[in-house]
Amino acid sequence: MDENRPSDDRAAPSADPAEALVDAPRPRRRRSSADRRRRRTRIGVGILLLVAAVTVWTTNQLLTDRFTETTRNRAELRLALYSGNLLSELRRNAIVPQLLARDPTLIGALNSGDFSQSTQRLISFDEEIGAASLMLLDRDGRTVAATDRNRLGSIHRLDPFFVDATRSNTTVFSVTRRDSGAYGFAYSRRIENGTELLGVLVVEVDLQKFARAWAGISDAVLVTDSTGAIILATEPRWLGLSEQEAIAREAPINAIERAIRATADWGALPPDAYLFGEAVMRLQTRIPFQGWRMTSFTSYASVREKVNGVLALEIMGFAILLALVFYFTNRKTALRMALFQRESAELRELNARLQREIAERMRVQETLAVTEQSLAQSSKLAALGEMAAAVSHELNQPLAAMKTYLAGARLLIRRNRHEEALASFGRIDGLIERMGAITRQLKTYARKGGSTLMPVNLGDALSSSLSMMEPQLRTRHVRLTQILPTEPVFVMGDQIQIEQVIINLLRNAIDATKSVANPELDVILAAGETASLTVRDNGYGVEDFDKLFEPFYTTKQPGDGVGLGLAISSGIVNDLGGRLTARNGEAGGAVFEMRLPILRRRSEAAE
């Protein structure tokens, strides 16, 4: 029995290794589970980074294309505006030499050799024309008169504007390179007496003002002539060079600058050129003048700023998401926890800055809303003021006529001519009705529409208007001439409004002849394709056509008018589908013409 005990003792411990074998795989399973979690974490992080990269790349491409197209459209619009302004300035000055070459005073001075008054005459012309300078050269090319007195006596016998003008019978345009390197632009035309050359008139055009204006708006703009030479540019050092030579005038860049350029342009479309070390887009348009071309260079900086701003927000969002992933997967690691805390602090600081920016923007929006309300209130007050001034202007004429009729009625009653006095009271009653009609049309002055159109006989409207203006015509002793058709002329409109227009035209014509000894007034009514009413006077004419129909523009003395008559009249005629124009007559005075669509009979319309 004792011999078997050791075997039992040796067999008993054999159960412990079996249990150990059963328990041993547990740490391996834990390690494999942790490895799988880490593997899934790495895969998730990789997918997140891939999605972030694809999203950023796609956003960069889409926004770059969009903002680049917007920038290009704005640059094209700006280039069209620049070329139009340049062409308008050239065309405006092109007609000046032709007009001044026929001036009898300048021709007489060249014939007589007396140029004492010529310079002052050129200065008076220049104040109206607005050219850079005017010069009068004799047949030897010597400056005998000039708006710039410092140029008197200078010789221009060999200058292109003198040589070309003497060889041509028309106005010639010349481009001259000055000693300073800048270009001068001038129109010139020969002055002759029959076939004999007397001299040359030179009109210099200031195109450099456009280059100075462009320099404050665009990145770079240049104008080339038919040979490709730059004659106008925002960079003075480019003048006289070709476009390729101008772009090439740049210091060579080093390796660091090349790297910066590459990283700065990675998100933009392929640049058309590099200007001052920066990628630019190039646009060109043709100017219909002697083969000129205009080229502009617009930087991609605004495109990059907008795109990079959006990309920064996207990258920040993915960075926050990635930080959260690392936080939840590695929160048991103290070192990573500390690192994440620092990152969280940075994110909180960034969030605080964003919150401050949001608050600032909200304050700006509130301020903008208050400003918009103030502007709206100011607009309402301005509209009320304009309406009040318009009613005051229109009621002034019937009140003046009523005063005249009352004075006449008082005199007739004293002379026991009661029936004629009653007729004057009847006219006053008609004027009161007219004042009531004017006050009922306040909405017409404030906004369009609201009145009923009906057939109106322009002859009757003219007779009514002349009847109202009869006291003023008789007081001023104005000789009135009427040319009327045999048949009635009908238009669609409101008779009160049409009479207001005619009365405004007649009153302006009477006021324009205050300084004339024998005032004359011609009224012509004609019917053709349109109905035309023309009012012509022999006054001093119109000086500023651009502001003629603007509200509150007047050349009268304070108290004589507020400058609303023509503005209101133009608005009424436009609402009726017509047009009110003004010009100066050939024999002096102003000519106002109202054209309205004519209303034909039904039989004529059917034909």
Side-chain angles (χ1 to χ4, degrees):
M1 295 296 294
D2 295 338
E3 292 177 358
N4 295 331
R5 289 177 181 174
S7 61
D8 295 337
D9 296 337
R10 288 192 297 268
S14 64
D16 295 335
E19 294 177 359
L21 292 174
V22 174
D23 297 333
R26 292 179 182 173
R28 298 194 189 99
R29 286 198 298 268
R30 293 172 181 172
R31 286 194 297 268
S32 62
S33 177
D35 293 337
R36 284 194 298 270
R37 286 197 299 270
R38 285 194 294 269
R39 191 179 302 111
R40 286 196 299 267
T41 301
R42 294 191 187 98
I43 293 173
V45 172
I47 293 174
L48 179 61
L49 293 176
L50 180 61
V51 171
V54 172
T55 303
V56 171
W57 183 84
T58 304
T59 303
N60 174 66
Q61 294 298 322
L62 293 177
L63 293 182
T64 298
D65 293 340
R66 177 182 176 183
F67 291 142
T68 300
E69 185 64 22
T70 302
T71 303
R72 185 179 297 275
N73 292 338
R74 292 178 179 175
E76 290 176 352
L77 180 62
R78 192 161 52 243
L79 188 63
L81 179 63
Y82 290 169
S83 61
N85 292 339
L86 188 64
L87 184 61
S88 175
E89 183 72 10
L90 291 171
R91 289 178 176 176
R92 184 175 65 86
N93 288 273
I95 194 63
V96 175
Q98 182 178 357
L99 298 176
L100 297 186
R102 301 174 182 176
D103 185 74
T105 303
L106 299 179
I107 295 175
L110 290 172
N111 282 324
S112 63
D114 182 12
F115 305 103
S116 58
Q117 301 297 326
S118 300
T119 295
Q120 186 60 37
R121 187 161 184 81
L122 290 181
I123 293 175
S124 64
F125 288 144
D126 187 52
E127 292 175 354
E128 299 178 358
I129 296 170
S133 67
L134 300 176
M135 290 192 303
L136 180 64
L137 311 179
D138 61 10
R139 64 178 58 134
D140 297 327
R142 184 173 60 89
T143 304
V144 294
T147 55
D148 185 3
R149 299 181 184 273
N150 296 327
R151 306 177 72 172
L152 292 175
S154 58
I155 304 299
H156 302 278
R157 186 183 300 109
L158 302 179
D159 290 339
F161 53 79
F162 178 81
V163 176
D164 296 340
T166 56
R167 297 175 180 176
S168 175
N169 293 326
T170 61
T171 302
V172 297
F173 180 80
S174 304
V175 180
T176 307
R177 188 73 180 270
R178 297 173 179 171
D179 296 337
S180 61
Y183 282 88
F185 310 89
Y187 284 102
S188 58
R189 188 181 181 95
R190 62 183 291 165
I191 302 176
E192 55 188 9
N193 186 7
T195 59
E196 180 183 4
L197 174 65
L198 297 179
V200 172
L201 183 67
V202 181
V203 178
E204 293 188 349
V205 185
D206 183 15
L207 299 185
Q208 298 297 333
K209 62 182 180 182
F210 294 104
R212 292 189 294 269
W214 300 338
I217 301 175
S218 302
D219 294 332
V221 180
L222 57 88
V223 178
T224 58
D225 59 10
S226 58
T227 62
I230 299 175
I231 58 176
L232 194 65
T234 54
E235 290 292 326
R237 57 178 179 166
W238 289 354
L239 296 176
L241 305 176
S242 64
E243 181 181 341
Q244 292 76 13
E245 293 174 345
I247 296 177
R249 294 193 64 177
E250 180 181 356
I253 59 176
N254 53 34
I256 297 178
E257 291 175 340
R258 283 195 297 269
I260 294 175
R261 173 185 292 180
T263 55
D265 297 338
W266 73 276
L269 295 177
D272 298 334
Y274 283 93
L275 195 65
F276 308 118
E278 188 175 6
V280 293
M281 66 175 67
R282 177 183 179 275
L283 297 175
Q284 187 179 70
T285 186
R286 187 179 65 87
I287 302 176
F289 182 80
Q290 296 190 358
W292 286 13
R293 291 184 178 274
M294 178 177 289
T295 306
S296 69
F297 299 94
T298 303
S299 173
Y300 283 98
S302 60
V303 176
R304 287 196 296 269
E305 290 174 359
K306 296 177 181 178
V307 175
N308 292 342
V310 177
L311 295 181
L313 293 177
E314 287 187 352
I315 293 173
M316 184 182 66
F318 284 111
I320 294 174
L321 183 60
L322 186 62
L324 291 175
V325 171
F326 280 111
Y327 172 76
F328 287 108
T329 56
N330 302 297
R331 56 184 176 180
K332 293 182 180 180
T333 305
L335 180 60
R336 295 184 178 181
M337 178 63 74
L339 177 61
F340 181 75
Q341 288 177 353
R342 289 195 297 270
E343 293 177 353
S344 298
E346 295 175 357
L347 291 176
R348 284 194 297 270
E349 182 180 357
L350 178 59
N351 187 30
R353 289 200 299 269
L354 291 177
Q355 292 294 335
R356 288 194 295 271
E357 292 180 1
I358 292 173
E360 182 65 25
R361 291 189 179 184
M362 292 179 64
R363 286 195 296 271
V364 171
Q365 290 178 355
E366 293 175 356
T367 304
L368 180 60
V370 174
T371 304
E372 290 176 351
Q373 293 177 359
S374 300
L375 290 176
Q377 185 66 22
S378 299
S379 178
K380 293 179 182 178
L381 293 176
L384 290 175
E386 184 175 349
M387 290 167 60
V391 171
S392 174
H393 178 272
E394 294 300 331
L395 293 181
N396 187 40
Q397 297 167 353
L399 288 174
M402 288 172 60
K403 184 177 180 181
T404 303
Y405 287 139
L406 284 175
R410 186 182 299 109
L411 182 62
L412 291 173
I413 291 174
R414 290 176 181 176
R415 296 180 180 179
N416 294 325
R417 297 164 62 180
H418 300 290
E419 294 182 357
E420 297 180 9
L422 288 176
S424 297
F425 289 130
R427 292 181 180 179
I428 293 174
D429 184 60
L431 291 175
I432 293 174
E433 292 181 358
R434 179 175 184 82
M435 292 169 64
I438 290 174
T439 57
R440 286 194 298 271
Q441 292 183 356
L442 280 176
K443 291 184 179 180
T444 302
Y445 297 152
R447 56 182 176 86
K448 294 185 178 180
S451 60
T452 302
L453 303 184
M454 60 183 63
V456 177
N457 187 348
L458 282 183
D460 294 342
L462 177 60
S463 299
S464 177
S465 302
L466 289 174
S467 176
M468 180 174 291
M469 297 302 297
E470 180 182 358
Q472 288 88 335
L473 293 171
R474 188 169 53 250
T475 302
R476 294 290 318 286
H477 303 289
V478 178
R479 187 173 67 85
L480 177 65
T481 302
Q482 300 185 56
I483 302 177
L484 306 177
T486 58
E487 297 292 333
V489 181
F490 285 93
V491 297
M492 288 296 294
D494 183 273
Q495 183 160 354
I496 297 297
Q497 291 183 343
I498 293 177
E499 289 179 4
Q500 289 175 3
V501 175
I502 299 175
I503 289 173
N504 282 330
L505 297 181
L506 293 174
R507 184 180 180 185
N508 286 340
I510 293 174
D511 292 340
T513 58
K514 285 184 177 180
S515 59
V516 179
N518 298 314
E520 297 180 1
L521 186 62
D522 298 335
V523 180
I524 304 172
L525 178 61
E529 294 296 329
T530 59
S532 172
L533 178 66
T534 304
V535 178
R536 180 187 297 113
D537 60 70
N538 63 338
Y540 46 79
V542 180
E543 297 180 357
D544 192 350
F545 287 96
D546 294 335
K547 299 181 179 179
L548 186 61
F549 296 103
E550 292 184 0
F552 302 105
Y553 171 75
T554 180
T555 57
K556 301 177 183 178
Q557 297 296 326
D560 292 343
V562 295
L564 285 172
L566 290 178
I568 295 173
S569 301
S570 179
I572 292 174
V573 175
N574 291 337
D575 291 341
L576 297 179
R579 186 180 180 187
L580 181 62
T581 60
R583 67 180 187 275
N584 287 326
E586 296 180 358
V591 180
F592 287 85
E593 185 176 14
M594 176 181 67
R595 288 185 174 271
L596 293 173
I598 196 169
L599 181 63
R600 303 183 183 277
R601 293 189 296 271
R602 292 188 176 180
S603 60
E604 295 180 359
E607 293 177 1

